[in-house]
Amino acid sequence: MDAQRSQRILNCISVIESIEKAGYISRKQIADETDLSLMTVGKLCALLEECELITEKKEDKSESGRKASICSLTDACHPCILNCADTLYTFTAKGPIGGTDVSLMHSSADDIGFEDKLYQFCDRMNDMLARIDHMPPSAVCLISDNTYDDGMLISADGSRADIKKLSYKLAKSGKHSVYTPASTAAAYLEGAYNDPCVAAVIGKRLSFAITCENQLKYNSSAVYPNALRADGVTLGERLQMMGTPDKESVLAFLSALASFFPNRKIILFPLAESNGTMTCGELCRYAVSAAGIEDRCTACEDPLGAMAEGAKRMYMMELLKKHI
């Protein structure tokens, strides 16, 4: 993708995020918030309206004079996010215009099958949504470290879940996208940080993705490095044997990232998963201190919420790439 097209898409994302934050907002207010010129905002809003992602109407004013155009998002901009990267599944959907997001959590018994666990999660979220005020999801964004292939999500043991069928449970359109945890973390960082970063996700697996300024490569493959060695075995072998990372594995992982990317900050996304006697947060604190990289590492305060924002950002880019 050429730089000009990439920048235009990023500017559209900035406009959409300003509108979403306010609910209803004028072009002048968008220009003030995004530091884009009023002329540029006008062209972008016209494009987004043509793409049916926003609507514009003249503000209601009793006095005479020129009325400003007030922008709001259409239903197409409101996917729901299913984060299944951890033992505790989380669900995020858009609340009423001007309101906060709806965030729900779900846990299942260990003996439930892979597909049944996902379906149970979606059924429970549907029941919860029926009791509260929310905007109907336009699509489903699933965050998972399992393999996705032609509508099917495939776990490490070969179990399969029909994501196409699952999506219709939550969104009438049945539209869906599947993203890796690390890619959504990197997408969030692209909008939140000005400097190049590495997103390091610490959960049931270890993965990372880098921010690629103005190139929109958020879907960088999550990497589970098998060439790194800890106590005589590769990191991949160690993780497979243990089933979940231990503190020495996290130390090897973060030390490698610090060496691979010496000029980038490392933003940690410790998930809620408990690894033996230590939480992911505790694993990260040990590894950062032992590696002596305190000045390079920062922990994301709300990793699950940030990943949901990253998934939404990636989904909006998919929509925009079809029109720009």
Side-chain angles (χ1 to χ4, degrees), residues 19-308:
I19 298 173
E20 182 176 34
K21 185 189 299 182
Y24 300 94
I25 190 172
S26 69
R27 291 183 177 185
K28 175 64 168 61
Q29 291 171 312
I30 294 173
D32 291 341
E33 288 194 9
T34 60
D35 290 328
L36 298 171
S37 71
L38 187 57
M39 180 180 295
T40 298
V41 169
K43 291 179 179 179
L44 294 176
C45 285
L47 173 62
L48 291 172
E49 188 171 26
E50 184 180 330
C51 299
E52 299 183 345
L53 297 178
I54 72 169
T55 59
E56 292 189 87
K57 65 178 182 179
K58 295 298 183 181
E59 65 179 338
D60 296 327
K61 289 176 63 175
S62 56
E63 65 270 19
S64 61
R66 187 174 181 179
K67 297 181 180 180
S69 292
I70 302 300
C71 305
S72 61
L73 300 183
T74 67
D75 292 345
C77 294
H78 302 304
C80 64
I81 315 297
L82 308 183
N83 192 337
C84 301
D86 208 358
T87 300
L88 186 67
Y89 287 1
T90 59
F91 173 89
T92 305
K94 190 63 184 174
I97 285 290
T100 58
D101 284 348
V102 176
S103 296
L104 304 169
M105 295 186 179
H106 173 76
S107 60
S108 301
D110 293 336
D111 58 352
I112 295 179
F114 177 61
E115 185 174 54
D116 288 341
K117 185 176 181 180
L118 284 169
Y119 283 11
Q120 184 188 85
F121 174 43
C122 290
D123 288 339
R124 187 183 178 202
M125 294 304 100
N126 258 333
D127 291 342
M128 297 292 288
L129 288 176
R131 305 174 192 175
I132 58 179
D133 193 9
H134 71 287
M135 301 189 71
S138 59
V140 174
C141 296
L142 176 68
I143 303 173
S144 174
D145 53 19
N146 290 297
T147 303
Y148 178 73
D149 181 29
D150 192 26
M152 302 297 293
L153 195 67
I154 307 168
S155 68
D157 65 2
S159 300
R160 303 167 72 88
D162 189 335
I163 302 304
K164 288 183 178 180
K165 182 178 177 182
L166 177 149
S167 299
Y168 280 108
K169 288 177 172 286
L170 293 169
K172 291 182 179 180
S173 67
K175 294 180 180 178
H176 64 277
S177 295
V178 179
Y179 308 123
T180 64
S183 65
T184 60
Y188 165 76
L189 295 179
E190 186 71 43
Y193 284 78
N194 294 323
D195 299 325
C197 300
V198 180
V201 179
I202 315 296
K204 289 180 290 185
R205 297 186 184 182
L206 305 175
S207 61
F208 74 90
I210 62 173
T211 58
C212 299
E213 288 66 28
N214 299 325
Q215 296 180 44
L216 310 185
K217 295 182 179 178
Y218 302 125
N219 59 343
S220 305
S221 298
V223 178
Y224 312 101
N226 292 323
L228 304 178
R229 291 190 172 273
D231 292 344
V233 297
T234 68
L235 186 51
E237 292 168 344
R238 186 183 183 97
L239 293 176
Q240 188 172 8
M241 287 188 299
M242 302 187 67
T244 186
D246 66 345
K247 63 180 185 178
E248 299 306 324
S249 298
V250 178
L251 172 58
F253 177 62
L254 295 185
S255 298
L257 290 184
S259 298
F260 294 160
F261 306 103
N263 298 319
R264 287 176 177 260
K265 288 186 175 295
I266 301 172
I267 312 301
L268 306 173
F269 287 75
L271 303 183
E273 174 79 15
S274 176
N275 293 267
T277 59
M278 300 177 73
T279 66
C280 289
E282 291 169 336
L283 292 174
C284 288
R285 286 190 288 274
Y286 164 79
V288 168
S289 176
I293 53 176
E294 292 92 340
D295 60 330
R296 299 271 310 279
C297 296
T298 302
C300 181
E301 294 182 0
D302 179 16
L304 296 176
M307 291 163 70

